[in-house]
Amino acid sequence: RGGAFESLTARYCKGCGMVEPIAVPVVIHRRDLAKIAPLWLSITEQIRGDQPTWDPSWKDKAFALAWTAEMYGYIFAAARLGIEHTINGKAQDIAGVAGSRTLTANLLHYSLKIELK
């Protein structure tokens, strides 16, 4: 594989083990948040500061790194620190990505442009 996520991970999370594909909402213990927060901010700032050298795939509307950099900063910080999450695939549906017009989760995550027809 060589998509946008993989190339972003290779650049900002070298040597990381499992990078978990998590998204909001995140429920986290304050001790873990205290560990993650400084590195999360640092990685997010690094990603945003490197914008002139971004891979073109990161600028694609479907990837939207310009406004999701903090999400990647979080998951890379957690991976570097070895903090794992329990992922509940039914906690949310990402509107426009679900692959179906039927959304079943209690939370809808509007993270991408949605075109209604």
Side-chain angles (χ1 to χ4, degrees):
R1 293 172 47 176
F5 179 74
E6 289 80 5
S7 62
L8 186 71
T9 301
R11 183 164 175 181
Y12 294 102
C13 207
K14 291 179 182 143
C16 289
M18 173 63 177
V19 177
E20 296 177 312
I22 63 170
V24 295
V26 173
V27 178
I28 186 169
H29 194 280
R30 65 182 177 187
R31 285 189 304 255
D32 290 332
L33 182 58
K35 291 176 193 173
I36 290 175
L39 186 56
W40 176 11
L41 178 60
S42 175
I43 295 170
T44 300
E45 289 175 336
Q46 183 182 7
I47 292 170
R48 288 184 175 151
D50 289 345
Q51 192 167 357
T53 64
W54 281 0
D55 183 282
S57 67
W58 303 348
K59 298 175 187 178
D60 186 88
K61 290 178 187 177
F63 197 68
L65 186 59
W67 60 274
T68 59
E70 79 288 340
M71 179 185 76
Y72 293 103
Y74 177 87
I75 64 174
F76 295 157
R80 286 187 190 179
L81 296 170
I83 295 174
E84 297 179 5
H85 300 79
T86 300
I87 299 171
N88 179 341
K90 301 198 183 297
Q92 72 166 330
D93 283 330
I94 301 175
V97 177
S100 169
R101 297 188 65 85
T102 304
L103 302 174
T104 59
N106 292 325
L107 296 173
L108 297 180
H109 181 179
Y110 292 95
S111 63
L112 303 171
K113 181 179 178 181
I114 300 169
E115 294 184 25
L116 301 175
K117 296 179 183 180

